[in-house]
Amino acid sequence: MRHTDPYDAIAVGAQFYELNHGAQVRHRVESLLPHISPPRVGVLDVGAASGTPTLAMARTWPGVPVHAVEPSRSMRIALLTRIAEEGDLQRQVTVHPVAAHELTRTGFVDLVTAFWALGMVEPDHWEATLNALVGALVPGGALLTESSLGEAEEDAAAVQDYRGSTRLGEHTIEHGGHVETAPDGSGYGVFTYRWLDADGHLLYEDHDHYEHRPGHARPDLAGSLEARGMVAERELDDPAAPGARLTLWRRPAT
């Protein structure tokens, strides 16, 4: 069956994702895992991207089935390649080439991780996404995700600039861009990637962009989970983002 991929707007950035963010993601995940009770039934990793959290959990909890959800074809290329390179993990890790709201299987894991992924869910898919994630849990299972998706201040407007560079052998990858946020919390981001040779000559340049919804359209994460019977158990600091927190939610055992 031919599948149209609506999530490959991130294809440009995906090719540089590990170079730019891999070390930070590894630090975050490896710092968080010791604070989570080991799962016994299985793990569902939502928004697996290139697989850093997925593989870290598979190595930390050998023998526990790990399910990775990643709808973007470009991210799955890296994810599947890394699983194949690990070899022994191929029987442990299952990849679901769909978005979270398209999952239909229920009661097959006791841990769902959505590391910084729910903030990217489209409003039209919000209810179905949370139904799928909570439904995937066995009674007593846990969900780890952002503590809040953020609230925009009505009078806030800002422009944030991002700049950085990464060495790649003799070459340098420069990335930069800006995100403009309007008073209602809606915004638009533009990013540029420039690949330079040893003499600073441009070999390749590409751009990507995205839009984010206004603050009033951001869902009430805590309220949505509580409405589904989930109970907030404790909060964890995000080790790579000062001030940011994640919450471990529990589905009651009965």
Side-chain angles (χ1 to χ4, degrees), residues 75-130:
M75 282 296 190
R76 285 199 309 271
I77 291 171
L79 171 62
L80 293 171
T81 299
R82 295 174 73 181
I83 292 172
E85 288 174 344
E86 294 284 341
D88 57 325
L89 297 184
Q90 280 189 235
R91 293 184 178 274
Q92 185 182 359
V93 180
T94 300
V95 177
H96 299 264
V98 297
H101 71 275
E102 297 173 292
L103 288 172
T104 58
R105 188 175 174 184
T106 59
F108 66 105
V109 298
D110 54 347
L111 175 64
V112 173
T113 58
F115 295 109
W116 320 283
L118 291 186
M120 301 176 68
V121 175
E122 293 294 330
D124 290 347
H125 299 154
W126 179 249
E127 298 296 329
T129 296
L130 288 194

Side-chain angles (χ1 to χ4, degrees), residues 172-228:
T172 300
I173 308 294
E174 295 181 346
H175 60 275
H178 67 276
V179 176
E180 299 184 16
T181 304
D184 68 350
S186 62
Y188 186 85
V190 179
F191 292 86
T192 297
Y193 302 89
R194 304 179 75 245
W195 194 321
L196 309 175
D197 68 12
D199 296 318
H201 299 137
L202 183 65
L203 300 174
Y204 172 87
E205 179 173 314
D206 214 333
H207 311 267
D208 64 3
H209 59 85
Y210 75 94
E211 297 180 7
H212 57 88
R213 58 186 179 273
H216 60 75
R218 297 173 191 166
D220 173 13
L221 178 57
S224 296
L225 290 173
E226 289 169 353
R228 288 166 173 80

